Each structure stands twice: as structure tokens, then as C-alpha cells.
Amino acid sequence: MNKNKSIDHQLRATWQAVAKLYNERAAKHDSTMATAFVLLNIDYENGTPSTALGPLMGMEPTSLSRILKTISRKKNPEDGRSVIIKLTDYGKEMREVSRESVILFNNTVIEHVTYEELEAFFKVTSTINKLIADKAIYPEEKINKKAV
């Protein structure tokens, strides 16, 4: 199969290019794309329980815990076993930088594609995510039949 015609290759290559772009921008602020992503997912006013952040962002707990070491944590008053991740003033400032970067990225892409192309992109990525969530790509029946 030609890698340029492979859906997964295009997704991976595009995401790697986007991640590199965001990491280069974040590095100018002594940060990383992963940290910026966390900042964007923390509730601005009330903070977010640490246990909710990983699933919210699709991150593994170990990756998230390394990032959270650099962010303000406070005991959850409703559940002493967990912590609330709150933005410091500096975190709020960096969150705004991250937000502006995402908006600029989106607006620039939108300037170069039609509404129909963007809608098709969202439809395709939504379908891929649904197929994966529904385990329709490699269902057990197909795996077992091919193994026999």
C-alpha cells in the first residue's frame, strides 16, 4: 500500500507536524504542547479534579502526573482523597497564550479550506473515532476467523 494513500499515515504525519508546530511555539514560553493542552482543559474559575483531567484529554495517568507537578494542586474539599488542579495567575496567563495559539492555527487553516472541506474532515475524523470506539476496525470475530 502506498503510504500517501494510507489513512493512518496521513493522520500520523499531520498530527506530528501539528505537534511540532505547537511545541516550537510553546518552547518560546518555556513550555510544551502537552502542558498547554492541560492548561486549556482546566476549568478557569473552579479548577478540575485531577482524576477528571486524564480521561478528559485522553492522556495516560503517568504522562499527566509529570505535567501536573508544575501546576498548582489543592485538596478537594468534597473528597479528601483527590486534588483539584487550579490555575495560578501565571497558569492563566499561559492558558491565554495557548488559547490564542489554537485560535490562530484554526483560523489560518479555515482561511485555506472551504467550509465543505472542513465539514468533510470533521465527518471523516468523527467516523474514524466512532469505528474505533465501537471496536469495528478489528472486531474479535474477524481476528479469530483469520487466526484459524
Side-chain angles (χ1 to χ4, degrees):
M1 172 178 261
N2 180 348
K3 72 178 182 180
N4 293 325
K5 300 280 185 181
S6 171
I7 296 165
D8 70 311
H9 173 79
Q10 291 299 320
L11 288 170
R12 186 175 51 254
T14 301
W15 177 246
Q16 287 175 340
V18 171
K20 182 178 181 215
L21 175 78
Y22 279 150
N23 271 317
E24 287 171 354
R25 187 157 179 96
K28 292 177 182 176
H29 300 279
D30 295 321
S31 189
T32 66
M33 180 193 72
T35 301
F37 191 44
V38 170
L39 292 172
L40 289 168
N41 282 281
I42 296 172
D43 182 276
Y44 191 84
E45 295 298 326
N46 303 313
T48 302
S50 60
T51 53
L53 270 177
L56 185 65
M57 300 183 319
M59 284 181 86
E60 294 296 321
T62 52
S63 300
L64 187 57
S65 65
R66 281 192 298 269
I67 295 167
L68 293 180
K69 287 180 183 175
T70 64
I71 296 173
S72 171
R73 298 186 277 182
K74 298 187 184 217
K75 284 231 182 253
N76 185 341
E78 296 173 18
D79 179 0
R81 297 169 296 170
S82 69
V83 295
I84 301 287
I85 307 303
K86 295 196 117 195
L87 295 169
T88 61
D89 289 340
Y90 180 71
K92 288 178 180 180
E93 185 181 319
M94 289 297 98
R95 183 182 198 268
E96 187 57 29
V97 169
S98 302
R99 185 178 158 284
E100 288 171 3
S101 296
V102 171
I103 290 170
L104 180 59
F105 173 85
N106 279 283
N107 288 342
T108 303
V109 172
I110 289 167
E111 289 174 7
H112 291 84
V113 298
T114 66
Y115 175 80
E116 292 78 16
E117 290 169 327
L118 193 57
E119 286 298 308
F121 170 78
F122 285 130
K123 184 173 190 224
V124 169
T125 56
S126 177
T127 299
I128 291 169
N129 282 317
K130 182 170 179 5
L131 290 168
I132 292 168
D134 293 347
K135 301 197 183 309
I137 305 287
Y138 304 117
E140 282 300 314
E141 303 81 57
K142 284 185 183 179
I143 293 171
N144 290 336
K145 287 179 184 175
K146 286 186 178 185
V148 175

